[in-house]
Amino acid sequence: MIDLLIIRAEIFTSDGKLKKGEKLKEVKHLSDYGIAVKDGIITDIGKTEDMLKKYHRQAKEILDAGGKALIPGFVDPHTHAVFTGSREQEFKMRLEGKSYMEILQAGGGILNTLKKVREASLDELVIELKKRVRLFFAYGTTTFEAKSGYGLNFDDEIKMLKAIQIVNSETDAEIIPTFIGAHAIPPEYKDNKEKYIEKLINEIIPYVAENKLAEFIDVFCEKGVYTAGETLKILKAGEKYGLKPKMHADEIESIGCSELAEKLKIYSCDHLLKIKKSGIEAMKKGDTIATLLPGTAFSLKEPFANARELIDNGLAVALATDCNPGSSFSESMPQIITLAVLMMNMLPKEALNAATINAAYAIDKQNKLGSIEIGKQADFVILKEKSYLFIPYHYGVNPIWKTFKRGKCVSTADY
Ligand code: NIG
Ligand code: FE
């Protein structure tokens, strides 16, 4: 017996290999195909006719996709989805001319959300995150990374990571936790950043790693936040405890952050709006994924990252929402794909790979996520239309019909 048989789908997927440079355009189209699922895993893929012959008497459930497109579930490799409260007043201030960094330096921004997250109970964070998971599913994201970073002290950072752990165990969500204690300078250490870094290295990082509360460690490497030297020190401390390094790099200014990719194994450098040639070279040497977050440039009204330059230089580009209450408030990867193709000149095939297989590589989950292949987790979405091209083409509306996580339908559009 199999659990689920999907028939008559137009499948668009990669072959599961990392897509660098030119290869980012490689998408296979399997027309009139079916998928067999057992125990949450893809066990067979073939022409509808053959799949029906093999499985029609032994499938617990059969779903006729009716010629609609089926693609891997989106993997969103960079979010700050654990938060409470909102910052619509700051959004308004930015539209009136204040910059994101001015708001942060005046005690708003990340520090505004910090206040609300510190006040919130673990249960409140769990409830908010569960609501957000439903939105991620509705917009086709089957796995997302989520960071701490709005606690910036021992108890509240741990509280954020525990919220992720609880939501993973109580729902169908698969959220990959990242520790970013170095997301801003906590108000208590405003004039003593060194001391906070020591606390991160000696107390919080060891506890997070030993209790398996995070898989990755991240730093906001930026002028006025953490320098490249401090970032290296923090990431190395995390690495020592088995946390995998990633980084917010070259977002607002270039201060030597992506250049660190030469110095330790960094899984991904994210943002890269202001990356220089030296950063591109270092990332090439380090085999580091370039995760681009066009929703952030869009929302901050900044020039977009130069995706073409990164791709043409042979880097592997991934896409993410950066979902957070300040610089990019969206759970929608379809929206990100739209921005990637219309504002960063990526081709639709490149954007599809960047939002699926390359995004899986960015969070080190390429062995089980990111493509439609036998043996991989049955995480996929069926669109409302026959081609993935409708994602950016019919923009601003939700293109997803059904989302499947480990072979289970976790979201269906009602129109
Ligand atoms: O990736 N740059 C730092 N962190 C987030 C913003 C978080 C926030 O504003 O709450 C980002 O843009
Ligand atoms: Fe971010």
Side-chain angles (χ1 to χ4, degrees):
M1 281 303 268
I2 58 164
D3 298 323
L4 173 66
L5 176 66
I6 310 265
I7 55 164
R8 294 210 301 143
E10 298 294 308
I11 300 180
F12 296 90
T13 180
S14 72
D15 58 6
K17 298 204 180 82
L18 180 65
K19 300 296 170 207
K20 285 185 187 175
E22 267 296 300
K23 292 205 167 9
L24 203 58
K25 293 192 195 73
E26 289 175 0
V27 171
K28 288 191 283 185
H29 178 190
L30 309 169
S31 187
D32 197 7
Y33 260 60
I35 294 181
V37 177
K38 189 174 169 53
D39 296 332
I41 303 291
I42 298 173
T43 53
D44 203 358
I45 303 172
K47 287 293 267 184
T48 294
E49 210 186 311
D50 301 334
M51 295 294 275
L52 276 172
K53 271 188 209 140
K54 273 203 226 170
Y55 299 110
H56 82 287
R57 290 242 175 272
Q58 49 152 324
K60 285 186 197 154
E61 193 191 335
I62 298 180
L63 176 71
D64 184 347
K68 296 186 178 73
L70 185 154
I71 62 173
F74 298 125
V75 174
D76 187 344
H78 181 140
T79 87
H80 303 258
V82 188
F83 65 85
T84 184
S86 56
R87 307 215 309 256
E88 70 284 1
Q89 292 307 326
E90 290 180 4
F91 178 72
K92 181 171 150 281
M93 280 160 73
R94 284 199 286 105
L95 297 177
E96 286 162 358
K98 282 253 177 307
S99 79
Y100 177 79
M101 285 314 261
E102 277 166 1
I103 293 170
L104 176 63
Q105 269 136 22
I110 294 171
L111 298 175
N112 178 343
T113 301
L114 173 123
K115 202 164 160 274
K116 294 181 183 124
V117 168
R118 283 185 178 179
E119 282 163 10
S121 67
L122 175 60
D123 283 349
E124 281 164 346
L125 289 185
V126 167
I127 289 166
E128 289 263 343
L129 185 56
K130 282 184 179 173
K131 278 198 277 184
R132 215 154 278 136
V133 163
R134 288 174 52 196
L135 262 182
F136 277 106
F137 279 154
Y139 282 83
T141 295
T142 44
T143 302
F144 60 96
E145 180 259 18
K147 304 173 199 294
S148 64
Y150 293 127
L152 307 188
N153 62 31
F154 188 93
D155 288 347
D156 294 307
E157 285 293 301
I158 303 301
K159 180 173 76 184
M160 290 186 74
L161 295 171
K162 281 210 171 124
I164 296 174
Q165 201 174 48
I166 292 171
V167 173
N168 275 335
S169 70
E170 293 181 355
T171 71
D172 293 306
E174 185 169 7
I175 310 170
I176 310 303
T178 294
F179 174 64
I180 180 165
H183 191 203
I185 299 145
E188 301 78 11
Y189 291 88
K190 205 162 62 113
D191 304 309
N192 201 352
K193 191 177 17 163
E194 261 315 298
K195 192 135 181 256
Y196 180 60
I197 295 173
E198 291 309 314
K199 194 179 164 69
L200 280 174
I201 291 175
N202 299 324
E203 288 175 41
I204 314 185
I205 289 173
Y207 184 89
V208 165
E210 275 155 22
N211 290 280
K212 302 206 176 331
L213 286 167
E215 181 174 340
F216 288 88
I217 180 160
D218 192 343
V219 175
F220 187 14
C221 183
E222 188 59 58
K223 185 161 173 231
V225 194
Y226 293 90
T227 66
E230 290 161 350
T231 300
L232 183 62
K233 196 168 155 188
I234 296 164
L235 292 180
K236 273 201 161 152
E239 203 184 34
K240 200 177 103 198
Y241 285 95
L243 297 174
K244 301 170 191 172
K246 52 174 33 235
M247 204 200 305
H248 283 67
D250 309 337
E251 178 180 356
I252 293 151
E253 288 195 31
S254 171
I255 58 160
C257 300
S258 51
E259 284 80 356
L260 294 176
E262 252 181 293
K263 299 212 163 75
L264 78 168
K265 165 75 190 150
I266 297 182
Y267 285 76
S268 79
C269 283
D270 303 14
H271 285 292
L272 306 177
L273 305 187
K274 303 285 156 62
I275 191 169
K276 291 188 188 144
K277 283 260 177 306
S278 50
I280 294 179
E281 285 312 313
M283 287 179 65
K284 263 165 96 170
K285 283 190 199 136
D287 232 353
T288 302
I289 313 273
T291 300
L292 304 183
L293 309 113
T296 312
F298 178 61
S299 178
L300 295 182
K301 302 213 279 182
E302 288 285 331
F304 288 80
N306 193 339
R308 282 267 55 96
E309 187 187 13
L310 301 179
I311 296 167
D312 296 345
N313 270 286
L315 286 180
V317 165
L319 289 167
T321 60
D322 197 14
C323 178
N324 75 74
S327 64
S328 178
F329 190 18
S330 177
E331 292 83 356
S332 170
M333 285 297 277
Q335 174 70 35
I336 297 305
I337 289 175
T338 301
L339 293 173
V341 305
L342 293 175
M343 306 305 290
M344 297 200 301
N345 300 319
M346 287 175 72
L347 298 171
K349 281 184 175 175
E350 295 175 323
L352 181 63
N353 279 329
T356 55
I357 191 63
N358 277 8
Y361 274 90
I363 52 168
D364 201 22
K365 294 288 172 285
Q366 62 278 6
N367 294 334
K368 62 167 188 166
L369 306 176
S371 54
I372 307 293
E373 287 182 277
I374 293 173
K376 278 202 166 173
Q377 207 162 280
D379 291 8
F380 50 83
V381 296
I382 305 178
L383 306 183
K384 291 173 185 163
E385 300 284 352
K386 62 189 174 192
S387 166
Y388 71 98
L389 289 171
F390 280 80
I391 299 170
Y393 167 53
H394 192 182
Y395 69 91
V397 296
N398 190 353
I400 311 297
W401 179 42
K402 283 177 188 293
T403 303
F404 288 82
K405 180 70 189 168
R406 300 182 187 96
K408 176 180 166 190
C409 184
V410 290
S411 180
T412 302
D414 49 15
Y415 57 94

